[in-house]
Amino acid sequence: MPKILNYGSLNIDYVYDVQHFVMPGETLQAKSRNIFAGGKGLNQSVALARAGGKVYHAGAVGEKDSEILLKTLNDNKIDSTFLKKRNEVSGHTVIQVDEHGQNCILLYGGANQSITTQDIDETLLHFEKGDYLVLQNETSNIEYLIKKASILGLKVCFNVSPFTEDLLNLPLHLCSFLIVNEIEGAAMVDADETCDPYVLLDKLTAKYPNSSLVLTLGAQGSILKLAGQSPISCRSFKVDAVDTTAAGDTFLGYLITNIASGMNSALALKCATAASALAVQRKGAAPSIPKATEVLEFIKKQRAEVLTNRL
């Protein structure tokens, strides 16, 4: 199986349970506060590893406040050889989770924004053609990473979140996989957010014909379109959501590991969807991500078939 390098963010998540998201000028009493290891990068590494991947996490953390982050990597058998320690704070977030399990997130990049081209060059020396590189838009020097990894023949998998206008200036055509939600995808092709997802997918395919595309649609489901192939659609499993914080990261981690392992594409999509369904039923980011055995057991218990010709 190819190696999977996640050059990604690591954040300390301060999660507040609230009745509703705080409004401008409002002081709101939180029901509880919990502290978790998180960050899109770390969450995705945990999902990649729990799905069965051989995962290396590169990035940067603070020297003094990163114990919870390093422990999470170690506990999940994620190789942290290429992780740098900086004389500044680690990335962190303030997350509100409402009574319906929805969240809003305030992010401070911290050490995540300290990654240099020299760091990247030193790390990529240890990977080769056919290996996978997972990226999110939460670290510095993304453009350099995409270009250098592409030259070396790595399969670049870019989760275009959080979305910014500057992201459109990146060499996205070099990415083997682009993972977007309907809002991000619409912004990338100047389409309406409410347009039919298959029309949106066609527009994305026209713009990035050599990239495989993953379009996530929240509770509706997701669509996987491998480059040059017909789309595969999967409805979401019906569950009661408690916290959606790491749902997308769980989905991506399982999907990429399963595809890298050579699993049938439709089954890989179904497993990723099941993993995400389990994650939303638990609080926290990384702690909510299920193990592969749990995912398989969950699928066995489901009576309804979620793979479909069209959502």
Side-chain angles (χ1 to χ4, degrees):
M1 181 174 174
K3 291 184 287 188
I4 303 174
L5 169 64
N6 186 353
Y7 223 123
S9 58
L10 305 96
N11 295 326
I12 302 169
D13 291 339
Y14 299 91
V15 182
Y16 297 82
D17 288 312
V18 295
Q19 186 177 12
H20 60 266
F21 298 151
V22 66
M23 303 292 290
E26 179 184 18
T27 298
L28 182 65
Q29 182 77 33
K31 297 177 182 179
S32 65
R33 186 189 82 157
N34 291 285
I35 302 174
F36 300 106
K40 293 190 73 64
L42 178 58
N43 297 340
Q44 290 174 13
S45 279
V46 172
L48 288 159
R50 291 186 181 176
K54 176 56 178 174
V55 185
Y56 300 77
H57 193 105
V61 295
E63 288 182 336
K64 298 179 181 179
D65 63 356
S66 57
E67 181 178 354
I68 188 174
L69 303 173
L70 300 177
K71 184 177 187 303
T72 300
L73 292 172
N74 185 62
D75 288 350
N76 287 280
K77 298 179 174 58
I78 298 166
D79 193 310
S80 60
T81 301
F82 310 110
L83 190 66
K84 304 295 183 181
K85 291 186 177 181
R86 307 294 198 210
N87 186 27
E88 60 176 295
V89 298
S90 296
H92 57 267
T93 64
V94 175
I95 302 176
Q96 298 177 62
V97 180
D98 71 9
E99 293 181 330
H100 305 289
Q102 296 299 311
N103 66 71
C104 63
I105 303 173
L106 177 66
L107 169 67
Y108 178 70
N112 293 314
Q113 296 298 318
S114 70
I115 296 168
T116 67
T117 57
Q118 182 178 348
D119 295 335
I120 293 167
D121 288 340
E122 292 173 354
T123 299
L124 291 183
L125 283 174
H126 301 273
F127 297 86
E128 61 188 12
K129 183 177 181 179
D131 288 338
Y132 283 70
L133 171 66
V134 177
L135 301 174
Q136 322 79 35
N137 195 28
E138 290 187 344
T139 56
S140 52
N141 279 310
I142 292 292
E143 180 176 0
Y144 186 82
L145 261 167
I146 292 174
K147 289 181 176 178
K148 187 65 179 287
S150 178
I151 291 170
L152 294 174
L154 275 68
K155 296 181 179 180
V156 181
C157 310
F158 188 26
N159 179 200
V160 298
S161 179
F163 184 84
T164 63
E165 290 296 326
D166 291 342
L167 184 145
L168 296 176
N169 297 321
L170 296 175
L172 301 181
H173 63 285
L174 298 177
C175 296
S176 298
F177 284 85
L178 290 171
I179 300 94
V180 305
N181 63 29
E182 66 271 41
I183 297 173
E184 295 157 350
M188 291 168 67
V189 293
D190 197 25
D192 191 284
E193 295 175 7
T194 61
C195 82
D196 181 279
Y198 295 93
V199 172
L200 177 56
L201 198 60
D202 286 342
K203 291 178 179 293
L204 287 165
T205 299
K207 187 171 183 178
Y208 306 106
N210 298 318
S211 300
S212 295
L213 299 164
V214 183
L215 179 60
T216 60
L217 301 162
Q220 186 179 357
S222 59
I223 308 170
L224 167 65
K225 187 181 186 308
L226 297 177
Q229 298 185 26
S230 299
I232 304 169
S233 304
C234 188
R235 292 188 294 265
S236 294
F237 290 96
K238 302 302 180 185
V239 297
D240 295 323
V242 173
D243 182 354
T244 61
T245 303
D249 299 329
T250 301
F251 175 91
L252 182 148
Y254 266 81
L255 182 65
I256 297 303
T257 287
N258 289 336
I259 287 176
S261 71
M263 182 183 291
N264 171 274
S265 301
L267 181 56
L269 183 62
K270 184 176 181 177
C271 287
T273 304
S276 181
L278 285 169
V280 301
Q281 297 179 72
R282 305 166 178 173
K283 290 189 175 183
S288 74
I289 299 169
K291 295 181 180 179
T293 52
E294 296 177 274
V295 173
L296 293 177
E297 188 64 28
F298 176 82
I299 291 174
K300 287 180 182 178
K301 293 180 179 179
Q302 302 305 307
R303 295 182 179 180
E305 178 54 71
V306 290
L307 290 169
T308 180
N309 290 329
R310 193 175 182 90
L311 296 176

